[in-house]
Amino acid sequence: MDLIVDTPRIEHHRRAFGIGEAAPRISWSMTSAPAGWAQAAYRIQITRGSAARTTFETESADQVLVPWPDADLGSRESASVTVAVRGADGAWSPASNTVRLEAGLLEASDWIARPVGAYWNEDPTSDERRPSIVRRSFTVAERPVKARLYASAHGLYEAELNGERVGDDTLSPGWTVYRERLRYYAYDVSDLIVAGENVLGAWLGDGWYRGRLGWRGGFHNVFGDDLSFLGQLELTYADGSREVVATDASWRAAPSPIIRTGIYDGEDYDARQEQRGWSSPGFDDAGWEGVAERHRSPETLVAPTAPPVRCTQEVQPVAVLTAPSGSRILDFGQNLVGRVRITVRGDRGQTVTLRTAEVLQDGELYTRPLRGARSADSYTLAGDEGDETWEPRFTFHGFRYVEVSGWPGDLDREAAAGRLVARVYHTDLERTGWFESSNPLLNRLHENIVWGMRGNFVDIPTDCPQRDERVGWTGDIQVFGPTASALFDVSGMLSGWLRDVAIEQLPDGTVPWYVPVIPSHNMWTPIRPGAAWGDVATLLPFTIYERFGDPQVLRDQFESARAWVDLIDRRAGDSHLWNTDFQLGDWLDPAAPPQDPADARTDRHLVATAYFARSAATVAAMARLLGYDEHAEHYSALTKAVAAAFAAEYLNADGTATSDAQTAYALALQFDLIPDDARRAAAGDRLAELVRESGNHIATGFVGTPIVSDALTEAGHIETAYDLLLERECPSWLYQVDMGATTVWERWDSLLPDGTVNPGTMTSFNHYALGAIADWMHRTVAGLAPAGPGYRQVRFAPRPGGGLTSASARHLSPYGEVAIAWRLEGETLHLDLTVPVGVAATLELQGRHPESILPGVHRLSVAAPGPITD
């Protein structure tokens, strides 16, 4: 088999354009290699501009995130990179395909643009402030050989150049801690510039910057009250000269045909107010106004570390319903996140209104779970001859159902013709993980988890995408991080978000409940430390390291992680028990009252102390990996002290816990808090007994759900773990599937067995936290688990059970595709295994010694393990 190196990857970028790293790391995998081949050295060749190609050879087996071997890149500089590899035989592979990369603006001094926008007398507390559009005309004598637009905004923007949309991103520049980090994006607009007059313009929307954020009425202008575009268009000519067209006081502004827009409320658009050709040459902007120039420190402008939000799929309605009230409702068959695009024809001034919701009740659109979010869009027709196509720009909704009013045609016929389509939006992450089994309900559950993740990764990891909230709750992504990492390449997105976590962290080490921080009327403000949520500072960086093999995230986040553990240590004092402070505990335990989701069966201070031990152990592990020996010793000793205190306070001599609940035992077992084997076995037995006593119903909330199946499995109760997974009565994972769910719900019973919506005011039908079971499904049901950072070591350990006759999982690791598929036929277990070059794999089957599996594709058949019993 030929030795072939796949196209290299740059840092964690899907496309390395406008990047912010001056010395970007390089990764590669092998698409094919001879049997038994292993890398002994690599050769990186870099071509920069017109300079000669430079070659760098290194004796190393590393192939993931290897250091940039050349001098740092300068701003705007591009380079081409190829990789070749050599084995022990001394023969070099052919060079890989070339990957081209280009740096963005790396220095604050590169920026001359200033944010500009309309300056109008408007009510700063209103949801009905009208956005502006801005433009500038400029003339060039000749077409440049290269043109780049670097753009951002106070608010959201979409840029246009000579009447053409720039880029395919949306909701840019996304949501960061704007005072410290405002993201910009780079665009190659070389093909859009013409000799003569050109026009650069931008649409603007409130977005997260100044739009209403938060619940109970929320807050406006959290980050500022202006609406401004920041753009720097750089033109490079054949002679090497450069011209810059930047936002400044010379720009012009006018009211947008967007009458109002908001993340929660939706968008109203009046096509009669359009100014045709406003971003094209030849338009007369004499009636436009001057702009106000605002302040933005260039030091705060940062390049993205992840892809932007994009439309990734279109979904057609599966039915057009008529409600008892007579209203017409589109059913898209899938709870999704995005917007509806319409193509309509009608009279001037007619208005089409689209109201969205996740569920129906009594056949009508049910919007109570949206709380204060209007979640509606409207389009007023211009009345031109022919079709008018429109989609909102600066909002997104979580919905399955859309009530359509004011439609001027035959809605049934036109929906069937594709004239109303749902467009799915989320951060355009690369899908990396798949699962399938012989049980269609499990497959639907897994698909629900994927859809829920897609809908809640809209620039930041949010809790829900539909109501007046949609914030980056730290506890949710802390528990879901392993599953997220199994399904998509979240390395760049979450590493970037963790930078905001560190920025928002208080000087005493307190980690906020959600990031970026917004104010709240009560409960969440002022910020207080809370277990499981604050532990995102320690556990999520380590998850990223484990799943993507990136030690840099540990370096970047170490001080943040250490500050969090040190804070808990101070609050616990000599007792080493964190038995104070406001705690959410095992949030949304199914036994908790609808309006008191923290009232769980497990003592919330048991939860807090368990997480104290877990985070201390994680910081110790981080310190060891980073070579911080003194810190490693300190936090290891602290871990032992906290574990001992936990055992003394919360464990009985017979191995039972003072909180006799599923989550209490899962925490004690999985966080290694039980000091002896006898009590550990007793705790595992009691956990399994509790599951059986509950009728195999889940009895855990956000904290216990991600770990209860692992706790059962490792305690020798795998069949009980299957019973828990496959239970179909409420509360359970498959209850939601049986009730027609197409995403994972916030509550186990967001929809009650009688078909009505849970009365709690916090009832989302799209929350990913309880979907954290998917990681266990990959690792245990299918049997594909990372055993070393970035899947450099892999463990194949399927545990057939639950009546399944087959299961499979595959994962696009940094080294290439890892996959397993098993099926039972009578007394034989058939296995298909795929191991990429550079990965050491081990096969572990019940009743057999572990077996090393070399890179390649393997098919084997073995005697099936006997029935699994507890």
Side-chain angles (χ1 to χ4, degrees):
M1 182 179 291
D2 293 337
L3 179 58
I4 301 173
V5 182
D6 201 1
T7 304
R9 302 181 304 279
I10 304 300
E11 283 291 337
H12 298 293
H13 300 291
R14 293 193 73 174
R15 179 171 177 253
F17 183 81
I19 66 175
E21 296 89 0
R25 297 167 296 174
I26 305 168
S27 304
W28 59 88
S29 59
M30 268 62 79
T31 57
S32 68
W37 185 91
Q39 178 182 303
Y42 61 82
R43 173 191 291 155
I44 296 176
Q45 294 184 317
I46 300 176
T47 304
R48 302 170 69 154
S50 59
R53 183 173 59 191
T54 307
T55 300
F56 305 89
E57 291 186 8
T58 303
E59 297 287 327
S60 172
D62 293 341
Q63 61 188 84
V64 173
L65 298 170
V66 303
W68 178 256
D70 205 353
D72 285 0
L73 296 168
S75 293
R76 311 173 185 86
E77 186 178 3
S78 62
S80 297
V81 177
T82 64
V83 174
V85 295
R86 174 174 59 77
D89 60 0
W92 285 95
S93 73
S96 69
N97 291 332
T98 299
V99 63
R100 188 173 183 276
L101 59 104
E102 183 172 312
L105 302 182
L106 304 181
E107 305 294 337
S109 58
D110 295 324
W111 289 93
I112 64 170
R114 297 292 181 266
V116 300
Y119 184 71
W120 296 327
N121 184 17
E122 54 188 2
D123 180 358
T125 65
S126 173
D127 287 325
E128 300 184 6
R129 288 177 285 184
R130 187 170 178 177
S132 61
I133 48 178
V134 295
R135 75 186 298 273
R136 182 190 162 181
S137 172
F138 61 97
T139 301
V140 299
E142 62 180 274
R143 287 194 64 185
V145 295
K146 184 175 83 169
R148 300 289 186 265
L149 174 64
Y150 306 97
S152 189
H154 292 173
L156 303 177
Y157 73 91
E158 282 190 6
E160 293 190 4
L161 183 55
N162 291 336
E164 299 290 334
R165 168 88 156 86
V166 175
D168 59 0
D169 50 316
T170 192
L171 301 176
S172 293
W175 192 6
T176 52
V177 181
Y178 295 127
R179 67 180 183 275
E180 304 284 349
R181 294 192 335 120
L182 177 64
R183 198 183 297 129
Y184 71 89
Y185 286 99
Y187 306 89
D188 182 351
V189 294
S190 304
D191 292 340
L192 299 180
I193 300 291
V194 299
E197 185 187 6
N198 294 264
V199 176
L200 176 61
W203 300 79
L204 293 168
D206 289 358
W208 298 279
Y209 185 81
R210 76 168 195 175
R212 178 166 60 93
L213 294 175
W215 42 99
R216 301 180 190 274
F219 297 83
H220 298 84
N221 313 306
V222 171
F223 300 98
D225 61 6
D226 66 299
L227 195 58
S228 305
F229 177 60
L230 186 148
Q232 187 158 311
L233 176 63
E234 299 192 353
L235 311 175
T236 303
Y237 295 99
D239 63 0
S241 62
R242 190 167 72 240
E243 180 180 2
V244 179
V245 178
T247 45
D248 58 22
S250 68
W251 281 56
R252 309 283 284 169
S256 170
I258 300 173
I259 305 304
R260 61 175 284 179
T261 182
I263 295 291
Y264 298 157
D265 288 345
E267 195 159 296
D268 296 338
Y269 188 96
D270 190 342
R272 298 171 300 179
Q273 303 296 317
E274 290 178 343
Q275 301 191 49
R276 305 291 173 85
W278 69 272
S279 65
S280 298
F283 179 82
D284 182 3
D285 66 3
W288 288 38
E289 303 176 11
V291 296
E293 189 175 297
R294 277 82 181 223
H295 175 71
R296 164 58 56 177
S297 171
E299 285 81 3
T300 64
L301 296 170
V302 297
T305 57
V309 176
R310 291 190 177 101
C311 176
T312 63
Q313 186 177 347
E314 293 187 351
V315 178
Q316 303 288 336
V318 298
V320 182
L321 310 174
T322 300
S325 65
S327 66
R328 304 304 310 281
I329 299 172
L330 302 180
D331 177 4
F332 285 94
Q334 171 64 52
N335 195 17
L336 57 88
V337 173
R339 310 187 286 239
V340 175
R341 184 186 65 202
I342 62 173
T343 300
V344 62
R345 182 179 298 195
D347 295 333
R348 183 176 178 84
Q350 284 187 290
T351 297
V352 177
T353 300
L354 310 170
R355 296 175 60 228
T356 68
E358 294 183 298
V359 292
L360 303 178
Q361 186 160 295
D362 299 323
E364 301 284 354
L365 198 74
Y366 196 66
T367 59
R368 180 181 63 81
L370 304 178
R371 300 191 309 207
R374 188 186 69 153
S375 196
D377 306 310
S378 72
Y379 177 76
T380 300
L381 279 72
D384 297 337
E385 293 184 8
D387 289 341
E388 300 178 41
T389 297
W390 175 78
E391 176 188 338
R393 280 181 170 83
F394 300 124
T395 190
F396 64 93
H397 308 297
F399 65 96
R400 172 175 171 170
Y401 301 97
V402 178
E403 180 188 270
V404 182
S405 59
W407 189 262
D410 183 333
L411 183 63
D412 297 84
R413 180 177 59 81
E414 297 191 39
R419 292 169 68 87
L420 299 98
V421 60
R423 288 167 54 81
V424 178
Y425 283 92
H426 55 85
T427 299
D428 190 14
L429 303 169
E430 181 181 11
R431 180 77 183 270
T432 57
W434 293 264
F435 170 91
E436 193 169 357
S437 77
S438 57
N439 187 324
L441 294 177
L442 285 187
N443 299 341
R444 181 67 244 191
L445 170 63
H446 191 272
E447 189 68 8
N448 290 359
I449 294 166
V450 172
W451 272 101
M453 178 178 169
R454 291 172 71 187
N456 281 293
F457 274 62
V458 180
D459 200 72
I460 65 169
T462 60
D463 60 323
C464 63
Q466 74 296 93
R467 68 182 180 226
D468 55 351
E469 194 167 342
R470 313 186 204 186
V471 297
W473 288 95
T474 49
D476 299 44
I477 190 57
Q478 182 270 120
V479 299
F480 191 73
T483 289
S485 302
L487 297 176
F488 288 86
D489 183 353
V490 296
S491 53
M493 178 182 174
L494 293 183
S495 295
W497 180 76
L498 280 168
R499 296 174 190 176
D500 282 336
V501 171
I503 289 170
E504 297 280 40
Q505 193 169 9
L506 301 186
D508 70 351
T510 298
V511 175
W513 299 106
Y514 41 80
V515 172
V517 171
I518 63 171
S520 171
H521 289 290
N522 60 7
M523 192 167 175
W524 313 111
T525 301
I527 300 168
R528 295 173 282 182
W533 277 253
D535 295 283
V536 75
T538 59
L539 302 184
L540 187 58
F542 207 77
T543 293
I544 295 172
Y545 166 71
E546 288 181 317
R547 298 305 177 95
F548 300 99
D550 188 356
Q552 187 60 45
V553 70
L554 302 183
R555 296 187 190 96
D556 292 343
Q557 300 300 134
F558 182 75
E559 290 303 320
S560 168
R562 188 164 72 93
W564 168 250
V565 172
D566 288 351
L567 167 71
I568 306 171
D569 192 19
R570 294 193 300 272
R571 300 184 86 82
D574 293 340
S575 73
H576 296 301
L577 297 171
W578 192 9
N579 53 12
T580 59
D581 295 319
F582 172 73
Q583 301 289 350
L584 300 184
D586 193 23
W587 185 254
L588 285 169
D589 178 322
Q595 292 298 94
D596 190 6
D599 187 16
R601 281 167 280 208
T602 300
D603 181 346
R604 63 191 70 190
H605 295 123
L606 180 156
V607 171
T609 302
Y611 265 98
F612 179 15
R614 183 67 160 183
S615 277
T618 302
V619 172
M622 293 170 70
R624 282 192 295 272
L625 288 164
L626 297 173
Y628 304 158
D629 295 341
E630 186 174 335
H631 288 315
E633 292 179 9
H634 169 72
Y635 291 104
S636 292
L638 179 61
T639 301
K640 292 177 182 177
V642 177
F646 178 94
E649 183 73 11
Y650 298 115
L651 299 179
N652 300 315
D654 62 356
T656 58
T658 56
S659 286
D660 193 34
Q662 291 181 20
T663 292
Y665 291 105
L667 286 168
L669 289 162
Q670 289 308 108
F671 289 4
D672 197 21
L673 300 175
I674 304 176
D676 58 81
D677 291 342
R679 282 199 285 177
R680 185 173 184 84
D685 291 345
R686 180 55 185 156
L687 173 59
E689 187 176 39
L690 283 173
V691 173
R692 289 191 292 269
E693 289 175 354
S694 73
N696 299 322
H697 292 118
I698 194 77
T700 57
F702 278 24
V703 165
T705 297
I707 58 175
V708 65
S709 299
D710 277 306
L712 288 166
T713 302
E714 295 176 23
H717 297 284
I718 180 68
E719 196 60 28
T720 303
Y722 270 108
D723 291 341
L724 191 65
L725 174 66
L726 296 172
E727 175 58 40
R728 296 175 66 173
E729 292 185 356
C730 186
S732 68
W733 284 286
L734 295 188
Y735 164 76
Q736 297 183 8
V737 174
D738 281 337
M739 292 297 287
T742 60
T743 44
V744 174
W745 300 343
E746 180 175 22
R747 299 176 182 269
W748 293 108
D749 60 350
S750 285
L751 196 65
L752 301 177
D754 64 3
T756 61
V757 175
N758 188 294
T761 56
M762 194 182 69
T763 303
S764 162
F765 290 86
N766 195 347
H767 246 68
Y768 53 58
L770 299 180
I773 184 65
D775 191 51
W776 181 83
M777 292 165 66
H778 284 236
R779 291 183 289 103
T780 303
V781 177
L784 194 165
Y791 290 77
R792 191 162 191 170
Q793 292 85 38
V794 168
R795 178 174 176 257
F796 293 122
R799 299 295 302 276
L804 298 183
T805 57
S806 66
S808 63
R810 61 189 181 96
H811 185 80
L812 296 182
S813 81
Y815 296 89
E817 182 175 299
V818 187
I820 181 174
W822 61 261
R823 68 187 188 281
L824 285 169
E825 292 183 354
E827 302 299 318
T828 303
L829 176 66
H830 302 282
L831 292 154
D832 295 331
L833 308 175
T834 301
V835 182
V837 174
V839 169
T842 302
L843 175 63
E844 299 179 16
L845 298 174
Q846 286 180 285
R848 296 171 61 92
H849 293 296
E851 178 182 350
S852 295
I853 304 295
L854 296 174
V857 177
H858 306 269
R859 291 182 176 177
L860 58 155
S861 299
V862 299
I868 303 172
T869 61
D870 288 347

